[in-house]
């Protein structure tokens, strides 16, 4: 699929409208992005954005939760909301003939949620169940432990679900205040992809949101939170059948030039069954049930992590194995074949991520929220193709030398004592 051109326009009230015209199917997908995710919450109200998002479809000033669900299901459409670290998002999918009605419903949900008390308590209970479920999963516990070590008081250290204490403290007034502060037209990005022209998109957005006035108060701003590197070793014991070993490194945000090099390193280490970590640590050495790496895109300082699920008796070997593979990147450059394979995999993965209207709406809306141009795809492709093995080695030496180590495993005092050596 060749990506269609992207139109970018802005309404007088500040709403940014992206249109990706793709008439190949009678479907329109939309994404409504707002910088209002867990990154923006007060620390004593962690989980506030998650609770608010879960309540958007549970009642407006004119519609009950049941009426909203009936309107969506009666036409076979999709409409839902979610929260991530950096943003809050409303998503829709519908056939073109029902677009106006579903889009109006999305506008009502976004602008006038009612936060019914009974629904607040129901959603709170569901989130508390999800929090408890997270604590039962070794990977989530290792990742939580790693984020805490990496970020300290920075909001990126926290789960978007919050915790049991903060979730219990959130009031209806907190939800109302957060909505008033963050859900506003001059922060809204609407991305529409499918059988719709830019002029049709602007007319529709104007019809539903054109009368939405910018609040007189200034939009919320983020106070910079400095994150410093202080590598730590941490182990948590849990009744589990496998050990999770995770090494983490602070890494650049999306606008840092080194971000592209680390994206390529991530692809080299983790992309598929022919990736370096899979081949060396699972296929050749049989150490891993699961092994991979990840480098999430973030507005602020991100992190690069490698991890392995392994037999608890192999914990120490797993740590040394993961460190050896990352250290190799610092000590010797990739071969020409390794470099080209990593580039092909990464660019192929990005292309596959823009096959459907929903993926197109998601991708370009996310780019806009990150402050990237609509031409970022072309820029990214060009930047990847120009990267050299020397540049990757330089980036590895800059960011991937001193890891934070997070381990979750069954209690084993002998193994723990072996592992508790200082980090060199």
């Amino acid at each position: 699929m060749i990506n269609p051109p992207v139109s970018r326009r802005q309404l007088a009230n500040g709403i940014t409208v992206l249109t990706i015209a793709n008439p190949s199917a009678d479907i329109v997908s939309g994404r409504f992005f707002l910088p209002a995710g867990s990154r923006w919450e007060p620390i004593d109200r962690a989980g506030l954005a998650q609770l608010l998002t879960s309540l958007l479809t549970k009642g407006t000033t004119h519609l009950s939760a049941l009426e909203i669900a009936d309107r969506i299901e009666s036409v076979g459409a999709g409409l839902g909301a979610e929260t991530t670290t950096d943003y809050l998002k409303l998503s829709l999918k519908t056939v073109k003939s029902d677009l106006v009605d579903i889009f109006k419903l999305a506008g009502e949900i976004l602008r006038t949620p009612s936060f019914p008390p009974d629904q607040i308590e129901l959603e709170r209970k569901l989130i508390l169940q999800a929090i408890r479920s997270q604590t039962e999963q070794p990977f989530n516990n290792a990742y939580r432990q790693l984020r805490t070590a990496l970020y300290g008081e920075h909001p990126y250290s926290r789960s978007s679900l919050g915790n049991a204490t903060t979730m219990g403290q959130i009031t209806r007034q907190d939800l109302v205040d957060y909505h008033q502060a963050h859900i506003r037209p001059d922060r809204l990005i609407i991305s529409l992809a499918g059988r719709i022209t830019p002029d049709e998109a602007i007319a529709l957005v104007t019809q539903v949101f054109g009368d939405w006035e910018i609040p007189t108060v200034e939009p919320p701003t983020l106070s910079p939170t400095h994150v410093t590197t202080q590598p730590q070793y941490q182990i948590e014991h849990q009744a589990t059948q496998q050990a999770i070993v995770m090494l983490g490194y602070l890494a650049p945000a999306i606008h840092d030039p080194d971000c592209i090099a680390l994206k390529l390193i991530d692809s080299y280490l983790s992309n598929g069954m022919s990736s370096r970590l899979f081949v060396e640590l699972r296929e050749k050495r049989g150490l891993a049930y699961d092994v991979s790496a990840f480098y999430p895109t973030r507005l602020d300082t991100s992190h690069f992590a490698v991890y392995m699920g392994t037999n608890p008796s192999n914990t120490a070997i797993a740590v040394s194995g993961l460190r050896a593979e990352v250290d190799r990147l610092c000590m010797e450059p990739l071969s020409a074949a390794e470099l080209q394979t990593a580039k092909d995999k990464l660019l192929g993965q990005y292309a596959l991520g823009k096959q459907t209207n929903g993926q197109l709406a998601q991708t370009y809306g996310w780019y806009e929220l990150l402050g990237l141009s609509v031409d970022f795809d072309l820029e990214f492709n060009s930047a990847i193709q120009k990267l050299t093995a020397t540049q990757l080695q330089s980036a590895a030496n800059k960011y991937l030398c001193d890891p934070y180590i997070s381990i979750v495993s069954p209690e084993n005092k002998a193994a723990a004592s072996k592992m508790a050596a200082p980090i060199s």
Side-chain angles (χ1 to χ4, degrees), residues 1 20 22 27-31 33 89-94 191-194 352-366:
M1 174 180 177
I20 307 98
N22 179 28
I27 297 290
V28 178
S29 292
R31 300 291 187 271
F33 285 92
K89 179 181 71 177
L90 192 67
S91 302
L92 70 80
K93 180 180 180 181
T94 183
S191 178
L192 295 168
L352 289 173
K354 298 186 293 296
Q355 296 297 297
T356 68
N357 289 331
Q359 290 173 329
L360 290 168
Q362 171 70 29
T363 297
Y364 289 105
W366 177 218

Side-chain angles (χ1 to χ4, degrees), residues 180-352:
Q180 290 178 346
H182 292 274
I183 313 300
R184 43 190 289 160
D186 53 334
R187 295 166 66 86
L188 178 59
I189 299 162
I190 299 177
S191 178
L192 295 168
R195 187 168 289 180
I196 184 169
T197 67
D199 287 344
E200 289 175 325
I202 286 294
L204 181 59
V205 176
T206 300
Q207 179 186 356
V208 176
F209 292 103
D211 64 341
W212 194 4
E213 296 181 357
I214 300 174
T216 55
V217 297
E218 289 296 314
T221 57
L222 290 173
S223 301
T225 304
H226 188 57
V227 180
T228 57
T229 301
Q230 294 178 324
Q232 302 174 37
Y233 165 88
Q234 293 182 317
I235 184 165
E236 179 176 303
H237 296 298
Q238 181 179 355
T240 176
Q241 297 301 309
Q242 66 172 316
I244 301 295
V245 176
M246 195 172 290
L247 277 59
Y249 310 78
L250 290 172
I254 182 63
H255 291 282
D256 191 299
D258 290 327
C259 175
I260 303 296
L262 286 176
K263 287 291 183 184
L264 189 55
I265 289 174
D266 176 36
S267 178
Y268 168 69
L269 288 176
S270 68
N271 197 338
M273 295 177 66
S274 62
S275 66
R276 178 76 187 188
L277 292 179
F278 191 94
V279 170
E280 294 298 322
L281 299 178
R282 176 167 171 160
E283 292 297 295
K284 291 185 178 180
R285 299 182 63 183
L287 285 175
Y289 303 134
D290 181 30
V291 61
S292 194
F294 56 92
Y295 172 37
T297 300
R298 291 285 184 268
L299 281 168
D300 287 349
T301 301
S302 187
H303 54 279
F304 191 104
V306 294
Y307 70 90
M308 183 191 301
T310 189
N311 188 297
S313 64
N314 291 330
T315 301
I317 302 173
V319 172
S320 63
L322 287 169
R323 288 202 66 170
E325 293 305 326
V326 177
D327 289 346
R328 174 181 176 269
L329 296 166
C330 301
M331 294 184 291
E332 57 184 85
L334 271 62
S335 69
E338 288 174 327
L339 181 63
Q340 190 58 54
T341 298
K343 289 180 179 182
D344 292 343
K345 283 184 178 181
L346 181 57
L347 294 176
Q349 185 181 50
Y350 266 64
L352 289 173

Side-chain angles (χ1 to χ4, degrees), residues 141-151 230-237 244-246 315 319 403-409 419-421 423:
N141 286 330
Y143 191 31
R144 167 190 48 76
Q145 187 172 245
L146 180 68
R147 292 196 313 271
T148 301
L150 285 167
Y151 291 108
Q230 294 178 324
Q232 302 174 37
Y233 165 88
Q234 293 182 317
I235 184 165
E236 179 176 303
H237 296 298
I244 301 295
V245 176
M246 195 172 290
T315 301
V319 172
Y404 295 73
I405 300 177
S406 173
I407 298 170
V408 171
S409 71
M419 293 297 303
I423 298 172

